[in-house]
Amino acid sequence: MKILLGTHIKEADRFTMLSEPIESVALMERASEAIASWLCRRVDRQRPLLFLIGKGNNGGDGLAVARMMSKRGYRCAVCLFCEPQHMTEESRINLSRLPQQVERMTPDRLKHIDAGILLVDALLGTGVSGRLKEPLATLVQQLNAMPNRVVSIDIPSGMKTEWENDPSQVVHADVTLALEFPKLSMLLPEAGGCCGELCVLPIGLSAEYPGFSETPYSFLTADDVRPMLKSRDSFSHKGHYGHALLVCGSKNMMGAALLAAGGALRSGCALVTAHVPAEGAVALNVSCPSAMLSPDLSDCFSSVPARLDRYNAIGIGCGLGTSDETMTAFAQLLQAVSVPLVLDADALNLLSRRHDLWHCVPPGSVLTPHIGELRRLTGAWNGEEDKLDRVRELARRLQSVVVVKGAHTMVMMPDGRAVFNSTGNAGMAKGGCGDVLTGLVAGLLARGYTAEQAALLGVYFHGQAGDAGARKFGMESMNSRDLLDQLVVGRLPLTDDARLL
């Protein structure tokens, strides 16, 4: 799913209106019907709704949805924060279409409403620039202090579509219903948390709009994943599906190696060998009996495994440590290897200390840093735009894929394209979850996927396993071991869930 930048969002609307053709108010009606249908699936009919209406077309969407929800039997009210003469033509049309049963509320009553009323934020759309002016700045602070749950239409009011967002100037929504595609700022840590749960609603914008092919940003969904998946031939054997090597673990850090091995074993590759300290052999055999052992006689990574040519991909770094002995072995492995690597954790920390080894990273490898490891590789950044530029340069320089882990994990390609993941949740912010991802991506590489495909499939199914773990155990109680139990490569969702607000 392509993500347009702010300069192209309105142009996509205009292009759709000309190419169908369809009038602006009719396109608004189509978008509003998608919003109303979503609300009907998720909001109890007994729950009252209050629509907060601004002067732009975002407010027009809110007015149209209020009409549709009222006709479906919901108790709806609207609160206008502008005079009708200042509204766009489409908004005035939808204001005139409101049925009499929709209550008109004045802004001064907002502070006295019941906490059970669901607020629908239709104040500001994607055209925000600069800081909010009064009275909107105070209104946003008032809304954020209220106990009511909030659903934002298209984008939380006050949020810019890309950079330089101040969360104190943005409505903190419980759910954001992004129309057609998420906006880039929703996927970045600067203010993405203001969106709450992110739901993308298709509204039928023309896929022929040139901006969709020009944007370097996209959002990874099941529809993107499905065509990448490989099938398995009925008459194949294990020699057809690849052999992954994992160089992981050290004294007191064997858990990381076991989680990585478990991830690789779920990937679909035929064979997994783990090069771990010999004292971890029993733990590996008990926890991962399907994996083979390559013992290191030291209590850390100190020797390069024999016959590297028999492996199709190598994952390295989980629980490795950064001792001098390990640094020496790491340099030797980089200088000897020709197959793609998955570099994580301490492998990235070692690489950040030895820039002279960067040229030894085989093109088509995958790096999977969290934010701290990324900072050690790229240096500190000044804002989200600078961070993305630094990640883009790192991927270009190494001709490798860089997976920046976090909310909406970003996968940066060597050609500058950035893909944000749609799966996963905050319950995955626990030790060991990244180790599972390392093993999974290494196994997918060994299975025969390209670095781009392995990274995208890896983060998608890893996040999906996290979502399944959260449903089973809750985000607080789930842990990294649960990801292995829930990890199913190739299983894609059929329907959205239907949790009530």
Side-chain angles (χ1 to χ4, degrees):
M1 177 186 293
K2 293 288 189 175
I3 300 172
L4 293 183
L5 299 182
T7 53
H8 286 155
I9 292 173
K10 291 188 184 299
E11 289 302 320
D13 287 347
R14 293 192 189 98
F15 186 90
T16 301
M17 288 185 280
L18 290 171
S19 61
E20 285 203 28
I22 183 173
E23 293 184 354
S24 177
V25 71
L27 183 60
M28 181 178 288
E29 194 78 357
R30 193 157 76 190
S32 299
E33 180 60 42
I35 298 166
S37 296
W38 187 95
L39 288 170
C40 286
R41 293 195 303 271
R42 293 284 297 270
V43 180
D44 189 279
R45 197 175 296 272
Q46 303 305 311
R47 186 164 198 167
L49 292 83
L50 174 58
F51 292 79
L52 310 176
I53 306 300
K55 66 181 181 180
N57 279 1
N58 192 256
D61 290 332
L63 290 166
V65 176
R67 163 171 43 88
M68 294 171 182
M69 297 299 289
S70 178
K71 289 183 177 180
R72 286 168 164 87
Y74 287 81
R75 183 154 57 94
C76 299
V78 298
C79 185
L80 271 62
F81 290 87
C82 61
E83 297 298 326
Q85 62 268 27
H86 296 145
M87 300 173 79
T88 63
E89 180 182 0
E90 295 86 350
S91 297
R92 289 196 300 272
I93 290 172
N94 276 300
L95 180 62
S96 69
R97 291 176 175 177
L98 277 182
Q100 289 186 346
Q101 63 264 32
V102 176
E103 180 187 355
R104 313 289 181 94
M105 182 183 291
T106 56
D108 59 290
R109 291 176 55 194
L110 184 61
K111 64 181 70 173
H112 303 297
I113 66 169
D114 187 89
I117 294 175
L118 179 66
L119 301 181
V120 181
D121 163 31
L123 290 166
L124 298 168
T126 57
V128 172
S129 61
R131 294 186 66 80
L132 292 183
K133 298 178 182 178
E134 295 296 350
L136 282 173
T138 297
L139 174 60
V140 167
Q141 293 178 4
Q142 179 186 350
L143 292 174
N144 289 343
M146 294 171 65
N148 303 69
R149 291 179 68 80
V150 178
V151 174
S152 287
I153 292 179
D154 199 26
I155 191 169
S157 288
M159 181 179 281
K160 304 178 185 70
T161 54
E162 284 93 41
W163 329 107
E164 299 179 357
N165 276 293
D166 177 356
S168 70
Q169 293 251 306
V170 178
V171 167
H172 294 179
D174 294 283
V175 179
T176 297
L177 304 178
L179 302 181
E180 197 67 33
F181 51 85
K183 285 55 184 177
L184 185 60
S185 56
M186 299 176 178
L187 310 175
L188 299 173
E190 189 173 61
C194 297
C195 295
E197 178 187 350
L198 177 61
C199 297
V200 180
L201 303 182
I203 62 170
L205 292 186
S206 174
E208 302 302 315
Y209 172 58
F212 281 120
S213 61
E214 296 169 2
T215 176
Y217 301 107
S218 57
F219 190 55
L220 184 66
T221 67
D223 288 339
D224 303 308
V225 166
R226 191 171 285 107
M228 293 186 216
L229 293 170
K230 294 179 179 291
S231 60
R232 297 179 83 89
D233 192 310
S234 299
F235 290 90
S236 59
H237 55 77
K238 63 185 179 183
H240 292 133
Y241 297 110
H243 191 168
L245 171 67
L246 298 172
V247 180
C248 298
S250 59
K251 186 177 182 179
N252 301 325
M253 290 292 287
M254 270 302 297
L258 301 180
L259 289 166
L265 289 169
R266 292 288 187 186
S267 69
C269 73
L271 299 170
V272 175
T273 293
H275 184 81
V276 299
E279 66 180 33
V282 173
L284 180 73
N285 288 331
V286 170
S287 181
C288 303
S290 299
M292 294 179 285
L293 174 66
S294 167
D296 195 309
L297 298 182
S298 176
D299 60 7
C300 66
F301 174 40
S302 65
S303 61
V304 175
R307 293 190 56 196
L308 290 177
D309 58 332
R310 64 178 174 171
Y311 303 110
N312 303 101
I314 300 174
I316 180 169
C318 305
L320 206 64
T322 58
S323 67
D324 292 344
E325 191 176 9
T326 295
M327 173 63 90
T328 300
F330 176 67
Q332 291 171 348
L333 185 142
L334 281 184
Q335 291 160 356
V337 75
S338 58
V339 298
L341 303 175
V342 181
L343 295 135
D344 184 38
D346 284 328
L348 296 173
N349 293 328
L350 293 170
L351 194 65
S352 68
R353 297 181 188 177
R354 291 281 304 273
H355 284 221
D356 60 300
L357 294 175
W358 284 30
H359 73 281
C360 296
V361 175
S365 293
V366 180
L367 286 69
T368 60
H370 59 52
I371 289 298
E373 291 156 356
L374 179 66
R375 190 174 288 110
R376 286 188 279 275
L377 286 166
T378 67
W381 49 81
N382 182 24
E384 289 300 312
E385 186 174 14
D386 184 33
K387 182 181 80 175
L388 263 66
D389 287 342
R390 288 170 181 262
V391 176
R392 189 172 281 116
E393 173 56 24
L394 178 64
R396 186 205 62 77
R397 179 175 174 182
L398 295 179
Q399 284 301 290
S400 296
V401 175
V402 180
V403 176
V404 181
K405 295 180 290 193
H408 300 295
T409 290
M410 179 181 69
V411 182
M412 183 69 77
M413 310 305 174
D415 62 6
R417 288 175 295 123
V419 182
F420 293 85
N421 189 31
S422 63
T423 62
N425 62 80
M428 298 170 69
K430 298 188 177 92
C433 289
D435 302 322
V436 175
L437 178 63
T438 297
L440 176 59
V441 175
L444 290 166
L445 276 173
R447 169 76 171 82
Y449 290 100
T450 66
E452 176 176 333
Q453 292 169 335
L456 293 175
L457 293 173
V459 300
Y460 183 88
F461 289 112
H462 180 258
Q464 187 172 264
D467 290 338
R471 285 192 295 271
K472 185 172 182 179
F473 299 106
M475 283 195 282
E476 294 298 329
S477 296
M478 64 177 287
N479 61 59
S480 53
R481 184 64 181 81
D482 300 323
L483 267 63
L484 293 178
D485 296 333
Q486 304 297 327
L487 184 55
V488 184
V489 171
R491 181 183 293 172
L492 296 171
L494 299 176
T495 59
D496 292 332
D497 65 27
R499 291 168 292 167
L500 292 177
L501 285 172

